[in-house]
Amino acid sequence: MNYWLIKSEPNTYSWDDLVKLGKDHWDGVRNYQARNNMKAMKPGDLALFYHSVKEKSVVGIAECASEFYQDPTTDDDRWVVVDFVPKEKLKKPVTLDDIKAVPELSEMVLVKNSRLSVQPVKKEEFDKIIAMSEA
DNA sequence: GCCAACGTTGGC
DNA sequence: GCCAACGTTGGC
């Protein structure tokens, strides 16, 4: 079981959109690092769903629901997607400021390389953020 | 809305 | 194969 963080601008695609659809593929990734991370995902892996730009918060937990496959939005076979289903909405969003305020989370990719749209997250980091959302 | 940081592209 | 130029992203 691995943990991830997937990022989206809520104006473009939000947590609510995923909830509405019930299940959706995560498309539009055009970055090799992010692509490689998606290729490493397995069904059952959990991903923090992060809203960038305006909200800058983790808002929910999505569950990976497929292996990676060819991105249906492009013919370019370099790019892949995985399916996600919404698993749980956080009781309270955990903001970027909250995360930055916690020393244990200062090594997160989100903090160090905020531009990467699909990131690995350590189990401890994942658990910590969930705990913060319940506090 | 601005600007810094990063990744990618393309010329050499 | 290197590096400058460019485009995009996302925090502020």
Side-chain angles (χ1 to χ4, degrees), chain A residues 12-49:
Chain A
T12 311
Y13 192 93
S14 71
W15 169 257
D16 289 336
D17 292 326
L18 180 61
V19 170
K20 228 175 287 171
L21 288 163
K23 175 179 174 179
D24 199 12
H25 52 259
W26 198 252
D27 65 27
V29 169
R30 295 293 180 268
N31 171 286
Y32 288 107
Q33 261 181 284
R35 192 275 315 263
N36 291 344
N37 288 333
M38 288 210 293
K39 283 190 168 184
M41 287 185 192
K42 295 279 180 245
D45 282 359
L46 296 178
L48 299 169
F49 195 112

Side-chain angles (χ1 to χ4, degrees), chain A residues 5 23 127:
Chain A
L5 182 145
K23 175 179 174 179
D127 290 344

